[in-house]
Amino acid sequence: MAEVLVYVDHVDGAVRKPTLELLTLARRIGEPVAVHLGAGADAAAAVLGEYGAVKVLAADASEFADYLVAPKVDALEAAYNAVSPAAVLLPSSAEGKEIAARLAVRIGSGIITDAVDLEAGAEGPVATQSVFAASYSTKSRVTKGTPVITVKPNSAAPEAAQAAGTVEQLAVSFGEKSTGTKVVSRTPRESTGRPELTEAAIVVSGGRGVNGAENFSIIEALADSLGAAVGASRAAVDAGWYPHTNQVGQTGKSVSPQLYIAAGISGAIQHRAGMQTSKTIVAINKDAEAPIFDLVDYGVVGDLFEVVPQLTDEVKTRKG
Amino acid sequence: MSLRIVVTVKYVPDATGDRHFAEDLTVDRDDVDGLLSELDEYAVEQALQIKEAADGEAEITVLTVGPEDAKDALRKALSMGADKAVHVEDDDLHGTDALGTSLVLAKALEHVGYDLVVSGMASTDGGMGVVPAMLAERLGVPQVTLLSEVKVEDGKVTGRRDGDAASEQLEASLPAVVSVTDQSGEARYPSFKGIMAAKKKPVESLDLSDLGLEAEEVGLEGAWTKVDEATERPARTAGTVVKDEGEGGKQLAEFLAGQKFI
Ligand SMILES: Cc1cc2nc3c(=O)[nH]c(=O)nc-3n(C[C@H](O)[C@H](O)[C@H](O)COP(=O)(O)OP(=O)(O)OC[C@H]3O[C@@H](n4cnc5c(N)ncnc54)[C@H](O)[C@@H]3O)c2cc1C
Ligand SMILES: Nc1ncnc2c1ncn2[C@@H]1O[C@H](COP(=O)(O)O)[C@@H](O)[C@H]1O
């Protein structure tokens, strides 16, 4: 069976959920071979094997952290040459897309980004994408070279399927042009203890209606009662009420949770672009005419300062 | 020597319009007004600020690959303060995908000459956010992308990239490809004087043969990907909307419980 390269997104060997989704999707096309760059390959291999990786190609070098993107492209290219895969899958993160873009140029292959589903087809993998702020759904495929495809988080439910997950060292030589952009310093984000926005099953977002940084505690309280991640509209982010890393939308994160709750958000097209593929959508807005109500499964026309705390209390009561 | 800055800008259908596909499954540009991609306005703005910081010792060229109407996008950028424009226009470009676009842009950049390329973070229509990385790869120069802050000094570009896991400070020597996010600072509005001046600024037109490219390398035929199917998403079935009469939160909880979220 043909092999499929899967780029592993991890933090020091702790594999992130989107990678398990990629492994699950990769199995529809062939045998997943994981590519692990940086420290922690042995720890990661156990999980990668559990989700179907027959092999884990591992490379660790300081270049991966010291320079932007390009060294990882060198490594993926080395893996590509070692395996001759049927496809290369990466997560649709900002970095994942950039690695994919450069790899596609380098190996002379077509690229598809932001797939929300993937299946085997007679002429290679078929990717489903959601375009124009999710008003259209398309099916596409790569017609030249080895398909390079990035997949959005929450596109598939990870399914375990034990495979060997044997770690093999991958030899990588870094091109002179790959060390052009130095990472001079790196300030890691502080963890909030809440689920990762793009991976969360439930997202609670606040917008301009939240009316102040201090009031975001109302949104956070609801999120915590549900075990959810917190999101924000650009209006709330631009006002300085919540960090940009939590922005949902065209220029923020694209989320696709089981449940999306929007409070004090009007539902502008750029916001919808980042949340419209959510399974169930709920909104609280005091304006009955707000466009967000066109999307909802359930909406409450009302003041979020009344409705949200009442909902939080009720959730807590019901959960005991 | 003065710094040669080239800003890549895209002409896109208005996102607030009713965008759809044409019969050949390319983006239909006929029914929706086009404009300079808002995310590329940020790139023009940063180029202008870099020029100002260099006491005007820079020349800003705006470059687009697109249909006849794409001149509007160039005019807008010129009226914001760019110095000149280059328009790559050719009937054979219809249906070009990201790989093809990056190929044409790379050839055009080599033709024009550059020390610094400034791009937007993504185009507001296709929105792949891949062209800047592809340009860096094709041109063989450093990629300094997704910056929320950028500075050019002594032949070096530095900037801050706010990633998912960390905020990074980056540095590279020129020539380089930079892309900037919408966090980099609001773009200026063209002044009346700027709009008048833009009318006299030079716009150079190039076609594929000027760039030494063949029709088969680009366009729908040359594309590396194919859209087989595009279906309009069925409108979400109308949900229940209730007015809060004091029990709105509880009603919502009831709904969530019914859906097994609680
Ligand atoms: C290029 C570009 C990219 C963009 N990218 C993004 C993006 O990534 N993400 C994004 O979100 N936006 C983005 N935007 C901005 C977008 O167009 C909207 O301006 C933004 O989403 C509005 O945020 P909002 O809904 O919070 O604010 P508003 O549109 O002002 O809506 C606030 C809502 O809150 C309601 N409200 C007020 N008070 C209360 C209350 N007490 N209780 C209940 N409801 C209340 C109001 O009725 C209103 O509907 C982008 C714009 C551009 C041009
Ligand atoms: N046809 C084009 N002409 C000029 N620049 C473009 C074109 N397409 C993309 N770009 C540039 O590449 C950036 C990212 O685009 P994309 O990869 O399409 O999301 C844009 O913000 C532009 O700066």
Side-chain angles (χ1 to χ4, degrees):
Chain A
M1 192 147 73
E3 290 167 309
V4 177
L5 284 184
V6 171
Y7 178 82
V8 177
D9 187 8
H10 68 96
V11 183
D12 295 327
V15 179
R16 292 181 55 184
K17 186 168 147 255
T19 303
L20 307 181
E21 298 168 14
L22 288 182
L23 289 168
T24 305
L25 290 172
R27 294 206 305 269
R28 297 183 186 167
I29 303 165
E31 280 188 333
V33 173
V35 181
H36 181 105
L37 308 180
D42 288 324
V47 181
L48 297 170
E50 188 186 334
Y51 284 85
V54 293
K55 247 190 312 202
V56 179
L57 300 177
D60 192 6
S62 57
E63 278 83 353
F64 296 130
D66 293 348
Y67 303 94
L68 194 72
V69 174
K72 293 174 179 159
V73 183
D74 290 346
L76 215 51
E77 186 188 15
Y80 168 83
N81 289 331
V83 168
S84 308
V88 184
L89 307 185
L90 302 94
S92 266
S93 59
E95 188 183 63
K97 287 206 267 189
E98 291 188 330
I99 297 171
R102 297 188 69 139
L103 181 73
V105 169
R106 224 181 261 189
I107 65 176
S109 289
I111 173 175
I112 291 174
T113 59
D114 297 310
V116 294
D117 199 6
L118 206 58
E119 62 211 357
E123 295 162 287
V126 177
T128 306
Q129 286 163 295
S130 183
V131 302
F132 296 158
S135 57
Y136 274 88
S137 167
T138 60
K139 285 194 192 294
S140 319
R141 73 205 143 74
V142 166
T143 47
K144 286 188 198 167
T146 303
V148 177
I149 302 173
T150 76
V151 182
K152 290 218 278 191
N154 280 347
S155 293
E159 286 162 25
Q162 191 65 49
T166 321
V167 178
E168 283 179 23
Q169 290 308 313
L170 177 70
V172 185
S173 57
F174 299 104
E176 193 195 321
K177 288 185 171 147
S178 298
T179 51
T181 307
K182 234 190 265 157
V183 179
V184 182
S185 67
R186 176 177 284 119
T187 317
R189 276 188 208 301
E190 276 176 43
S191 164
T192 57
R194 296 195 179 90
E196 192 64 42
L197 184 55
T198 53
E199 299 169 17
I202 304 179
V203 174
V204 182
S205 291
R208 200 194 305 274
V210 174
N211 200 25
E214 64 285 0
N215 299 337
F216 253 88
S217 57
I218 298 175
I219 302 296
E220 291 180 336
L222 175 57
D224 292 343
S225 75
L226 291 164
V230 176
S233 73
R234 181 162 113 173
V237 169
D238 283 354
W241 303 340
Y242 223 67
H244 178 251
T245 35
N246 294 70
Q247 183 178 314
V248 171
Q250 184 184 32
T251 55
K253 300 277 160 55
S254 173
V255 302
S256 210
Q258 295 298 316
L259 171 64
Y260 188 83
I261 304 181
I265 292 178
S266 63
I269 184 94
Q270 295 91 353
H271 187 78
R272 297 207 313 250
M275 47 67 74
Q276 201 161 354
T277 53
S278 307
K279 285 264 160 37
T280 299
I281 298 175
V282 163
I284 301 138
N285 194 307
K286 66 179 181 190
D287 175 11
E289 303 296 317
I292 191 83
F293 286 124
D294 296 342
L295 302 181
V296 298
D297 295 285
Y298 200 89
V300 177
V301 180
D303 187 345
L304 72 90
F305 293 99
E306 306 287 334
V307 178
V308 173
Q310 190 181 69
L311 172 59
T312 308
D313 285 344
E314 191 67 21
V315 172
K316 283 190 190 152
T317 313
R318 285 176 187 246
K319 281 193 167 177
Chain B
M1 205 189 79
S2 117
L3 187 70
R4 295 168 302 168
I5 305 175
V6 183
V7 187
T8 58
V9 298
K10 188 173 182 188
Y11 178 75
V12 298
D14 187 347
T16 54
D18 179 19
R19 295 173 294 178
H20 53 265
F21 283 93
E23 242 167 66
D24 62 356
L25 298 182
T26 60
V27 177
D28 190 341
R29 293 171 176 273
D30 290 343
D31 293 349
V32 182
D33 285 342
L35 42 77
L36 167 61
S37 170
E38 279 149 317
L39 293 174
D40 292 343
E41 289 184 16
Y42 295 92
V44 176
E45 176 62 36
Q46 288 309 309
L48 291 167
Q49 289 190 22
I50 290 165
K51 176 171 175 174
E52 283 155 13
D55 294 322
E57 283 299 303
E59 184 184 52
I60 302 175
T61 305
V62 284
L63 166 64
T64 195
V65 175
E68 165 72 29
D69 294 348
K71 288 218 165 43
D72 290 356
L74 294 175
R75 283 287 165 219
K76 171 93 186 267
L78 290 172
S79 64
M80 287 172 73
D83 300 301
K84 61 191 183 70
V86 174
H87 185 185
V88 184
E89 188 193 352
D90 198 308
D91 288 344
D92 290 324
L93 282 167
H94 175 77
T96 304
D97 62 6
L99 276 161
T101 301
S102 69
L103 175 66
V104 178
L105 283 171
K107 292 279 184 199
L109 284 162
E110 276 160 357
H111 173 94
V112 173
Y114 64 93
D115 301 303
L116 178 69
V117 180
V118 187
S119 298
M121 64 186 288
S123 42
T124 53
D125 56 347
M128 292 173 76
V130 294
V131 166
M134 286 178 177
L135 283 178
E137 178 69 32
R138 288 192 188 277
L139 297 167
V141 302
Q143 166 194 339
V144 199
T145 47
L146 299 173
L147 303 182
S148 46
E149 236 173 60
V150 58
K151 216 159 71 192
V152 174
E153 243 169 25
D154 308 324
K156 277 204 172 99
V157 52
T158 54
R160 195 181 80 233
R161 170 171 163 123
D162 292 319
D164 286 347
S167 175
E168 296 165 329
Q169 202 63 40
L170 306 178
E171 182 187 293
S173 299
L174 299 181
V177 174
V178 159
S179 78
V180 299
T181 72
D182 62 338
Q183 297 291 299
S184 59
E186 278 310 304
R188 67 193 68 187
Y189 287 104
S191 64
F192 179 69
K193 216 175 114 207
I195 293 168
M196 295 315 286
K199 297 191 168 142
K200 299 197 200 74
K201 290 177 178 172
V203 179
E204 184 187 359
S205 277
L206 299 172
D207 62 16
L208 288 175
S209 64
D210 292 325
L211 299 176
L213 287 167
E214 302 290 336
E216 304 83 70
E217 294 177 81
V218 295
L220 203 51
E221 291 311 312
W224 306 74
T225 46
K226 186 168 188 310
V227 180
D228 286 325
E229 234 180 276
T231 39
E232 201 162 356
R233 225 180 136 82
R236 293 186 82 98
T237 41
T240 313
V241 178
V242 299
K243 197 168 168 343
D244 177 35
E245 311 273 6
E247 298 277 294
K250 287 189 181 151
Q251 286 168 284
L252 196 42
E254 186 59 38
F255 169 79
L256 295 180
Q259 301 285 315
K260 308 263 183 290
F261 288 115
I262 328 177

